Amino acid sequence: MKVNNVKKNETNKFVGWFTNALDILKVDQESGWPDRFGLAIKKSLAKQKNNSISALSLFTGAGGLDIGLHDVGYQSQEMIEIEKNFVDSLSENTKPGDAFQDSVPRCIDIRNYTPPANMKVDFITGGPPCQSFSSAGRRASGVMGTDDPRGMLFAEYVRVLKKLNPKGFLFENVYGITAAQKGEAWKAIQLAFEEAGYKLFFRVLDAADYGVPQHRERLFIVGLKTGSFKFPYPTHGPDSQDGRPHYSAGIAVKDALVDEEYKIVKGRYGYLLNSIPPGLNYSYYTKKLGYPNPIFAWRSKFSDFLYKADPTFPVRAIKAQGGQYTGPLSWENRYFTVNELKRLQTFPDSFKLRGGRQVAIHQIGNSIPPQIARILGLAILDQVFGVKFPFRIDYMPDDFQLTFKNQKKLKTAYYTKKAKESNERNPEKKIVHQTNIKEEIRRYIGKRFEWSSVPKEGYASIDLIKTLKDETLTISVKGRKRRKFTISIIPNADSDWHIPYKKIILISEGCEKKHITMLWKALEEHVKQNFGVADLVQLFGYYQYKSTVKMFFYYNNSDDRSFWDFMRSVIEVSGSSEINLKKPTLLEFGTDSDIVRNLKTLKELGFEVRNKNTNPQIEEGVYLVPYSFPTLTKDSVQLSKKL
């Protein structure tokens, strides 16, 4: 084992261990080189006898980890995976000469799996599902960690470890696992492995630093019965020993096989992709990055929304499941093909994935990139099993600080500058709007909050009057009834909400609850049509940030005062509203049952309401109303969840 050992070549330049390995294996770094590297390693090790490491693969997925490990001499006896589509792909690659020759994929829930009585393995590999610890999970519903049944699957991993007692294991998961539940989940996981008799060695690594054309930060744990383990120096990037540049996305997909039609991104936002500079996402169309007519609010979408890859760098992490606008999207303003995504994940060109496009993407995005698996597999063979290679491997000292997080900050600054410069070079003219308007309109709303300008079966109709005078927009329900409610919206003095109004007023003549939804929908339609603003969230801002406006609610209705007082509290709150039934200050809105009834009415009106039933990480008795206006649509995930 060599630690922090850098050799020089004939020209007196530093040569990192990976450069030395590529030279010896005669592998150049042109498009698709990870396939050739894996094949060269396999051929080199085949010359040695008795070097196969018997393994068991848990949570195999589509086999990304196993592809890399099999290339460097591991042999999984069984591959345990619950998803049938994934197992179909594994089985498709078990023929003689394929990646998983002599392995047996099994479609089974690990909770029902018991290793055969005669099974003996040297090593166990795999990582449980990561959704309960992931950044996407944190954004969507908070970190559930081990409160989520998926987060407890590591206990099944430990159960199998105890039964088979291998020399060691390789465990992978998202790095969020270390911070979930204030670190308590991570402590429990470490303790469970240690009680099973294993000493842990772990680091968060970026796959791009190990030859993958994709930034993918994951926690890797090597557990050993005896001995110690150090992680190898990065093979690419600023932390590599000789500064070898990252493997870029453009080179990776350069000659990928084209066996499917290129698909253009369509739909409501598809056209926006064309103007986004490579490396940026929807945030290009925000005020913060200098867009003159902002369409989106800052940080109001996931970072992969309309994310266009930059061919000169690795892409951001490929998502297993996403929507119509989920990136990475090609710099050619289209979706990547499945074969291109395989290249970006370093799956071999020859590896067969069963299922259609979306099924294949699910399998690719859920996998560990085989190239980083190869490098870690070599390091384990060297340090744990004493396998010899025709090249050296150099290892990081324990105190060596990887810089990929700082590199990410530098890249963010680079793209921010790039976006602003692009907007300055191609400024759009400010939209000129009428200074005075008055029009009557009829609109229609569906049961799932669909909004239409034409009549549709099952839709309720409403007549509205829209007036613009003296920079004040007023939208009112047509009528002359004495009962009414009024919502006034005024921008904060220190914020520019990028529409040329000093005030917005929504008025219901009749004070019907359904008018709340209809008036907000009418306002949303207006800002979409006149300013290109995507929706009300983009106008007022994401709920976790300071509100751009102040809202005031007035009503003169004597019926159901509990609800209307409650409505006022929701509309006038600055930012999201947390309603805790354990706090007596809410007694002004009635009993707990009154409050819950009002919350259910809010949801019926299209407001998003969360509690422990919709988002399990929320404390019992606490309700969260993220926005002061209805945001539910027919496509909203929260629409199908019940309080």
Side-chain angles (χ1 to χ4, degrees):
M1 179 194 305
K2 297 182 178 67
V3 178
N4 200 19
N5 181 20
V6 185
K7 294 185 177 180
K8 293 184 177 181
N9 62 14
E10 295 80 4
T11 60
N12 208 37
K13 292 182 179 180
F14 288 119
V15 178
W17 76 265
F18 190 67
T19 297
N20 175 249
L22 291 176
D23 290 344
I24 290 172
L25 295 171
K26 295 181 170 52
V27 175
D28 59 52
Q29 278 211 258
E30 295 179 357
S31 181
W33 70 265
D35 286 12
R36 296 190 292 278
F37 177 77
L39 182 61
I41 289 286
K42 186 179 291 187
K43 287 181 177 179
S44 175
L45 292 176
K47 296 176 183 178
Q48 303 182 40
K49 296 182 178 179
N50 302 317
N51 67 339
S52 180
I53 306 301
S54 178
L56 171 66
S57 174
L58 304 177
F59 308 102
T60 307
L65 179 61
D66 297 81
I67 291 169
L69 293 179
H70 278 224
D71 278 351
V72 299
Y74 296 74
Q75 178 62 50
S76 297
Q77 293 187 33
E78 293 188 331
M79 310 172 85
I80 309 305
E81 171 57 42
I82 192 173
E83 293 282 350
K84 184 180 184 304
N85 288 328
F86 290 41
V87 176
D88 287 345
S89 291
L90 298 175
S91 300
E92 187 72 17
N93 293 275
T94 57
K95 300 178 180 66
D98 285 347
F100 303 137
Q101 176 182 335
D102 300 325
S103 295
V104 179
R106 294 189 60 188
C107 188
I108 186 173
D109 187 328
I110 191 172
R111 289 168 289 197
N112 301 323
Y113 172 70
T114 300
N118 61 348
M119 177 180 278
K120 292 183 179 180
V121 296
D122 302 310
F123 211 70
I124 289 180
T125 65
C130 64
Q131 292 93 330
S132 56
F133 301 106
S134 69
S135 59
R138 292 196 297 272
R139 177 74 179 268
S141 58
V143 174
M144 294 167 62
T146 52
D147 289 340
D148 185 337
R150 296 171 299 182
M152 284 301 293
L153 288 176
F154 80 90
E156 299 296 328
Y157 197 108
V158 173
R159 173 179 64 82
V160 177
L161 274 175
K162 289 180 177 179
K163 180 171 179 60
L164 295 176
N165 200 34
K167 287 185 178 180
F169 66 87
L170 174 61
F171 179 100
E172 176 268 355
N173 217 299
V174 294
Y175 64 86
I177 198 173
T178 61
Q181 299 169 305
K182 299 181 180 180
E184 293 303 314
W186 175 226
K187 289 179 184 177
I189 289 170
Q190 291 182 82
L191 181 61
F193 282 134
E194 290 168 358
E195 288 180 344
Y198 292 88
K199 184 177 180 181
L200 304 184
F201 305 88
F202 51 88
R203 267 187 184 264
V204 176
L205 305 175
D206 182 357
D209 287 347
Y210 291 88
V212 180
Q214 176 187 169
H215 289 292
R216 194 181 189 94
E217 299 168 24
R218 294 293 186 268
L219 172 71
F220 289 90
I221 305 172
V222 174
L224 300 177
K225 281 287 187 180
T226 60
S228 61
F229 180 81
K230 292 184 182 296
F231 287 85
Y233 268 102
T235 61
H236 294 70
D239 294 328
S240 63
Q241 294 168 309
D242 46 12
R244 177 181 292 273
H246 283 131
Y247 183 28
S248 72
I251 294 176
V253 306
K254 183 179 179 181
D255 60 356
L257 177 66
V258 179
D259 61 358
E260 66 175 281
E261 183 181 351
Y262 291 139
K263 294 183 179 180
I264 304 300
V265 183
K266 298 181 180 179
R268 178 180 170 189
Y269 301 122
Y271 76 98
L272 294 174
L273 185 65
N274 296 334
S275 298
I276 296 175
L280 287 154
N281 58 8
Y282 80 95
S283 63
Y284 175 72
Y285 292 103
T286 64
K287 177 191 173 187
K288 188 175 180 69
L289 294 191
Y291 196 71
N293 300 301
I295 296 172
F296 301 106
W298 182 248
R299 291 184 176 175
S300 61
K301 300 282 188 182
F302 286 107
S303 62
D304 52 16
F305 189 85
L306 287 176
Y307 160 56
K308 183 191 289 187
D310 188 333
T312 61
F313 295 108
V315 300
R316 294 179 186 172
I318 296 169
K319 299 297 186 292
Q321 294 175 304
Q324 183 178 10
Y325 307 107
T326 299
L329 302 166
S330 172
W331 46 87
E332 296 178 352
N333 299 319
R334 59 174 175 81
Y335 295 105
F336 282 116
T337 66
V338 169
N339 284 327
E340 288 174 328
L341 291 172
K342 284 169 65 177
R343 284 284 185 93
L344 295 175
Q345 194 81 349
T346 65
F347 266 66
D349 290 344
S350 60
F351 192 83
K352 296 174 282 292
L353 292 169
R354 290 285 299 273
R357 174 181 168 82
Q358 291 306 316
V359 173
I361 293 174
H362 187 193
Q363 295 176 67
I364 294 169
N366 251 10
S367 297
I368 298 171
Q371 182 57 24
I372 191 173
R374 293 184 184 106
I375 302 302
L376 293 177
L378 289 171
I380 294 167
L381 289 178
D382 177 26
Q383 299 175 67
V384 180
F385 296 102
V387 176
K388 302 301 181 184
F389 311 111
F391 51 83
R392 73 183 196 276
I393 302 177
D394 295 343
Y395 298 98
M396 295 181 284
D398 292 338
D399 60 355
F400 186 82
Q401 298 294 314
L402 293 168
T403 63
F404 58 82
K405 289 191 180 298
N406 186 54
Q407 293 299 319
K408 185 189 295 185
K409 293 179 182 178
L410 294 175
K411 192 171 286 188
T412 297
Y414 165 76
Y415 283 122
T416 298
K417 181 180 179 183
K418 185 177 180 180
K420 291 181 177 179
E421 289 175 347
S422 174
N423 280 322
E424 288 173 0
R425 286 194 304 270
N426 303 293
E428 289 194 3
K429 293 181 179 180
K430 285 285 185 180
I431 301 173
V432 178
H433 304 278
Q434 295 173 289
T435 55
N436 293 286
I437 61 172
K438 183 172 184 179
E439 59 180 336
E440 296 185 10
I441 58 175
R442 175 170 289 182
R443 292 294 182 261
Y444 306 86
I445 189 167
K447 294 180 180 179
R448 295 174 63 83
F449 311 112
E450 306 94 334
W451 188 248
S452 174
S453 60
V454 296
K456 293 186 178 182
E457 185 177 354
Y459 282 36
S461 65
I462 186 170
D463 292 317
L464 300 164
I465 300 174
K466 186 162 58 173
T467 304
L468 177 59
K469 185 177 181 181
D470 298 330
E471 298 181 358
T472 296
L473 174 69
T474 302
I475 302 176
S476 59
V477 177
K478 190 176 180 181
R480 286 286 181 264
K481 297 182 181 179
R482 293 179 61 187
R483 296 187 304 170
K484 67 185 296 185
F485 70 72
T486 301
I487 302 170
S488 298
I489 308 162
I490 302 172
N492 287 327
D494 58 348
S495 73
D496 176 7
W497 61 333
H498 55 256
I499 62 173
Y501 300 151
K502 293 180 178 178
K503 191 174 186 179
I504 294 174
I505 303 173
L506 307 178
I507 302 173
S508 165
E509 303 286 355
C511 209
E512 296 184 45
K513 294 175 183 176
K514 64 182 181 181
H515 289 173
I516 296 172
T517 309
M518 293 172 167
L519 286 165
W520 282 113
K521 288 289 184 181
L523 174 61
E524 186 169 62
E525 177 191 57
H526 180 85
V527 296
K528 283 181 186 177
Q529 291 179 344
N530 290 276
F531 305 104
V533 177
D535 51 44
L536 292 178
V537 173
Q538 313 311 320
L539 178 63
F540 298 123
Y542 183 56
Y543 77 90
Q544 290 187 340
Y545 298 94
K546 182 181 178 181
S547 177
T548 60
V549 300
K550 294 179 181 178
M551 298 186 188
F552 304 93
F553 183 81
Y554 162 82
Y555 78 95
N556 66 355
N557 178 26
S558 60
D559 296 337
D560 199 0
R561 294 188 62 87
S562 170
F563 170 77
W564 293 105
D565 286 344
F566 192 79
M567 187 78 258
R568 177 192 290 127
S569 73
V570 170
I571 288 178
E572 293 189 349
V573 70
S574 178
S576 61
S577 176
E578 183 179 284
I579 299 161
N580 191 337
L581 298 181
K582 299 175 183 178
K583 293 183 178 179
T585 54
L586 289 172
L587 292 178
E588 61 185 290
F589 303 122
T591 64
D592 285 0
S593 60
D594 291 330
I595 295 169
V596 172
R597 173 177 59 83
N598 290 333
L599 285 164
K600 289 182 177 179
T601 301
L602 277 186
K603 189 162 186 179
E604 291 170 0
L605 294 173
F607 286 76
E608 185 178 337
V609 183
R610 304 178 187 178
N611 72 342
K612 193 169 184 64
N613 287 340
T614 67
N615 300 70
Q617 83 290 345
I618 295 177
E619 184 183 346
E620 189 72 49
V622 173
Y623 293 79
L624 178 67
V625 184
Y627 298 103
S628 300
F629 44 87
T631 58
L632 294 182
T633 71
K634 63 182 180 64
D635 299 318
S636 299
V637 173
Q638 287 286 336
L639 185 61
S640 61
K641 296 184 177 182
K642 297 182 179 180
L643 296 176

Short mmCIF file of all heavy atoms in Angstrom, two decimals, residues 20 34 94 100 136 149 166 212 216 233 239 251 269 281 291 360 375-376 426 457 542 577 584 589 604 608 626:
data_model
loop_
_atom_site.label_atom_id
_atom_site.label_comp_id
_atom_site.label_asym_id
_atom_site.label_seq_id
_atom_site.Cartn_x
_atom_site.Cartn_y
_atom_site.Cartn_z
N ASN A 20 -0.37 6.12 -14.40
CA ASN A 20 0.52 4.97 -14.48
C ASN A 20 -0.25 3.71 -14.87
O ASN A 20 0.19 2.93 -15.73
CB ASN A 20 1.21 4.78 -13.13
CG ASN A 20 2.06 3.54 -13.06
OD1 ASN A 20 1.74 2.59 -12.34
ND2 ASN A 20 3.17 3.53 -13.79
N PRO A 34 -14.09 4.11 -20.19
CA PRO A 34 -14.30 3.24 -19.03
C PRO A 34 -14.58 1.78 -19.43
O PRO A 34 -14.19 0.85 -18.71
CB PRO A 34 -15.51 3.87 -18.33
CG PRO A 34 -15.41 5.32 -18.67
CD PRO A 34 -14.95 5.31 -20.10
N THR A 94 -26.63 -12.44 -17.91
CA THR A 94 -26.00 -13.57 -17.24
C THR A 94 -25.54 -14.65 -18.22
O THR A 94 -25.07 -15.71 -17.79
CB THR A 94 -26.97 -14.21 -16.22
OG1 THR A 94 -28.17 -14.60 -16.89
CG2 THR A 94 -27.30 -13.25 -15.09
N PHE A 100 -22.60 -10.61 -15.91
CA PHE A 100 -22.96 -11.37 -14.71
C PHE A 100 -23.00 -12.88 -14.97
O PHE A 100 -23.82 -13.59 -14.40
CB PHE A 100 -24.30 -10.87 -14.17
CG PHE A 100 -24.30 -9.40 -13.84
CD1 PHE A 100 -25.38 -8.60 -14.18
CD2 PHE A 100 -23.21 -8.81 -13.23
CE1 PHE A 100 -25.38 -7.25 -13.89
CE2 PHE A 100 -23.20 -7.45 -12.94
CZ PHE A 100 -24.28 -6.67 -13.28
N ALA A 136 -33.58 15.15 -2.50
CA ALA A 136 -34.92 15.29 -3.08
C ALA A 136 -35.97 14.99 -2.03
O ALA A 136 -37.01 15.65 -1.95
CB ALA A 136 -35.08 14.36 -4.27
N PRO A 149 -39.75 3.05 6.57
CA PRO A 149 -39.39 1.63 6.49
C PRO A 149 -38.20 1.38 5.58
O PRO A 149 -37.40 0.49 5.83
CB PRO A 149 -40.67 0.99 5.94
CG PRO A 149 -41.76 1.89 6.40
CD PRO A 149 -41.19 3.27 6.36
N PRO A 166 -18.74 -12.42 6.41
CA PRO A 166 -17.66 -12.25 5.43
C PRO A 166 -16.52 -11.41 6.00
O PRO A 166 -16.66 -10.80 7.07
CB PRO A 166 -18.37 -11.51 4.29
CG PRO A 166 -19.41 -10.70 4.98
CD PRO A 166 -19.91 -11.57 6.11
N VAL A 212 -16.03 9.32 -13.77
CA VAL A 212 -17.42 9.28 -14.23
C VAL A 212 -17.78 10.67 -14.75
O VAL A 212 -17.53 11.66 -14.05
CB VAL A 212 -18.37 8.86 -13.09
CG1 VAL A 212 -19.82 8.83 -13.58
CG2 VAL A 212 -17.97 7.50 -12.54
N ARG A 216 -21.71 13.08 -8.74
CA ARG A 216 -22.64 12.25 -7.96
C ARG A 216 -21.99 11.99 -6.61
O ARG A 216 -21.12 11.13 -6.50
CB ARG A 216 -22.93 10.95 -8.71
CG ARG A 216 -24.11 10.16 -8.20
CD ARG A 216 -24.27 8.87 -9.03
NE ARG A 216 -25.50 8.18 -8.72
CZ ARG A 216 -26.64 8.32 -9.39
NH1 ARG A 216 -26.70 9.16 -10.41
NH2 ARG A 216 -27.70 7.63 -9.06
N TYR A 233 -6.60 7.82 -4.01
CA TYR A 233 -6.63 9.18 -4.52
C TYR A 233 -7.58 9.26 -5.71
O TYR A 233 -7.68 8.32 -6.50
CB TYR A 233 -5.24 9.60 -4.99
CG TYR A 233 -4.41 10.30 -3.94
CD1 TYR A 233 -3.40 9.61 -3.28
CD2 TYR A 233 -4.62 11.63 -3.62
CE1 TYR A 233 -2.61 10.24 -2.32
CE2 TYR A 233 -3.85 12.27 -2.67
CZ TYR A 233 -2.85 11.57 -2.01
OH TYR A 233 -2.09 12.19 -1.06
N ASP A 239 -8.22 17.17 -7.27
CA ASP A 239 -7.64 16.39 -6.18
C ASP A 239 -6.85 15.18 -6.66
O ASP A 239 -6.27 14.45 -5.85
CB ASP A 239 -8.74 15.94 -5.21
CG ASP A 239 -9.38 17.10 -4.49
OD1 ASP A 239 -8.67 18.09 -4.22
OD2 ASP A 239 -10.59 17.03 -4.19
N ILE A 251 -17.34 14.52 -24.39
CA ILE A 251 -16.50 13.42 -24.87
C ILE A 251 -17.18 12.08 -24.61
O ILE A 251 -17.15 11.17 -25.45
CB ILE A 251 -15.12 13.47 -24.18
CG1 ILE A 251 -14.36 14.73 -24.61
CG2 ILE A 251 -14.31 12.22 -24.50
CD1 ILE A 251 -13.03 14.92 -23.91
N TYR A 269 -43.20 24.43 -20.86
CA TYR A 269 -41.93 25.11 -20.65
C TYR A 269 -40.83 24.65 -21.60
O TYR A 269 -39.69 25.13 -21.51
CB TYR A 269 -41.44 24.88 -19.21
CG TYR A 269 -42.38 25.37 -18.14
CD1 TYR A 269 -42.87 24.50 -17.18
CD2 TYR A 269 -42.76 26.70 -18.08
CE1 TYR A 269 -43.75 24.94 -16.18
CE2 TYR A 269 -43.62 27.16 -17.10
CZ TYR A 269 -44.11 26.27 -16.15
OH TYR A 269 -44.96 26.71 -15.17
N ASN A 281 -30.01 26.11 -15.46
CA ASN A 281 -31.34 25.51 -15.36
C ASN A 281 -32.40 26.61 -15.39
O ASN A 281 -32.15 27.72 -15.85
CB ASN A 281 -31.44 24.64 -14.09
CG ASN A 281 -31.17 25.45 -12.83
OD1 ASN A 281 -31.05 26.68 -12.86
ND2 ASN A 281 -31.08 24.78 -11.70
N TYR A 291 -32.62 38.02 -15.51
CA TYR A 291 -33.58 37.92 -16.60
C TYR A 291 -34.57 39.09 -16.50
O TYR A 291 -35.14 39.34 -15.44
CB TYR A 291 -34.34 36.59 -16.53
CG TYR A 291 -35.06 36.27 -17.82
CD1 TYR A 291 -34.34 35.92 -18.96
CD2 TYR A 291 -36.44 36.35 -17.92
CE1 TYR A 291 -34.99 35.63 -20.15
CE2 TYR A 291 -37.09 36.08 -19.11
CZ TYR A 291 -36.36 35.72 -20.22
OH TYR A 291 -37.00 35.45 -21.41
N ALA A 360 -35.75 2.13 -18.34
CA ALA A 360 -34.29 2.11 -18.46
C ALA A 360 -33.65 3.27 -17.69
O ALA A 360 -32.64 3.08 -16.99
CB ALA A 360 -33.90 2.18 -19.94
N ILE A 375 -12.78 1.32 -9.28
CA ILE A 375 -11.66 1.88 -8.52
C ILE A 375 -11.72 1.44 -7.06
O ILE A 375 -10.70 1.03 -6.48
CB ILE A 375 -11.66 3.42 -8.62
CG1 ILE A 375 -11.59 3.88 -10.08
CG2 ILE A 375 -10.51 4.00 -7.81
CD1 ILE A 375 -10.37 3.39 -10.83
N LEU A 376 -12.89 1.50 -6.46
CA LEU A 376 -13.00 1.06 -5.06
C LEU A 376 -12.78 -0.44 -4.95
O LEU A 376 -12.19 -0.92 -3.97
CB LEU A 376 -14.38 1.44 -4.52
CG LEU A 376 -14.64 2.94 -4.36
CD1 LEU A 376 -16.06 3.19 -3.88
CD2 LEU A 376 -13.64 3.57 -3.39
N ASN A 426 -28.14 39.63 -24.51
CA ASN A 426 -29.40 39.41 -25.22
C ASN A 426 -30.58 39.92 -24.39
O ASN A 426 -31.45 39.14 -24.00
CB ASN A 426 -29.58 37.92 -25.52
CG ASN A 426 -28.42 37.37 -26.32
OD1 ASN A 426 -28.23 37.74 -27.46
ND2 ASN A 426 -27.66 36.47 -25.70
N GLU A 457 -67.43 19.97 -19.59
CA GLU A 457 -68.39 19.20 -18.81
C GLU A 457 -67.89 19.00 -17.38
O GLU A 457 -66.73 18.64 -17.15
CB GLU A 457 -68.62 17.83 -19.47
CG GLU A 457 -69.69 17.01 -18.79
CD GLU A 457 -69.96 15.69 -19.50
OE1 GLU A 457 -69.37 15.48 -20.59
OE2 GLU A 457 -70.74 14.88 -18.97
N TYR A 542 -40.90 31.20 -3.19
CA TYR A 542 -40.93 29.90 -2.52
C TYR A 542 -41.14 30.11 -1.02
O TYR A 542 -40.56 31.01 -0.42
CB TYR A 542 -39.62 29.17 -2.79
CG TYR A 542 -39.55 27.78 -2.22
CD1 TYR A 542 -40.51 26.82 -2.53
CD2 TYR A 542 -38.51 27.41 -1.37
CE1 TYR A 542 -40.44 25.55 -2.00
CE2 TYR A 542 -38.42 26.14 -0.85
CZ TYR A 542 -39.38 25.21 -1.16
OH TYR A 542 -39.31 23.94 -0.63
N SER A 577 -47.40 28.97 7.18
CA SER A 577 -48.10 29.01 8.46
C SER A 577 -48.04 27.64 9.11
O SER A 577 -48.46 26.64 8.53
CB SER A 577 -49.57 29.40 8.22
OG SER A 577 -50.30 29.35 9.43
N PRO A 584 -52.21 26.89 22.91
CA PRO A 584 -53.52 27.44 23.25
C PRO A 584 -53.87 28.72 22.51
O PRO A 584 -55.01 29.14 22.51
CB PRO A 584 -53.40 27.71 24.76
CG PRO A 584 -51.93 27.89 25.00
CD PRO A 584 -51.26 26.96 24.05
N PHE A 589 -59.84 30.36 17.19
CA PHE A 589 -60.45 29.77 16.00
C PHE A 589 -61.36 28.59 16.36
O PHE A 589 -61.77 27.84 15.49
CB PHE A 589 -59.36 29.30 15.04
CG PHE A 589 -58.42 30.39 14.63
CD1 PHE A 589 -57.06 30.28 14.84
CD2 PHE A 589 -58.90 31.55 14.04
CE1 PHE A 589 -56.19 31.30 14.47
CE2 PHE A 589 -58.05 32.57 13.66
CZ PHE A 589 -56.69 32.45 13.88
N GLU A 604 -59.84 21.59 0.41
CA GLU A 604 -60.91 21.48 -0.59
C GLU A 604 -60.92 22.68 -1.53
O GLU A 604 -61.38 22.60 -2.67
CB GLU A 604 -62.26 21.36 0.11
CG GLU A 604 -62.45 20.03 0.84
CD GLU A 604 -63.68 20.03 1.74
OE1 GLU A 604 -64.38 21.08 1.77
OE2 GLU A 604 -63.93 19.02 2.41
N GLU A 608 -52.55 23.96 -0.19
CA GLU A 608 -51.75 22.81 0.23
C GLU A 608 -51.71 22.79 1.76
O GLU A 608 -51.38 23.79 2.39
CB GLU A 608 -50.34 22.90 -0.33
CG GLU A 608 -49.50 21.68 -0.02
CD GLU A 608 -48.11 21.75 -0.63
OE1 GLU A 608 -47.92 22.50 -1.62
OE2 GLU A 608 -47.21 21.07 -0.10
N PRO A 626 -48.12 25.84 3.50
CA PRO A 626 -46.94 26.52 2.95
C PRO A 626 -47.23 27.89 2.33
O PRO A 626 -46.40 28.78 2.42
CB PRO A 626 -46.43 25.54 1.89
CG PRO A 626 -47.02 24.22 2.26
CD PRO A 626 -48.34 24.53 2.87
#
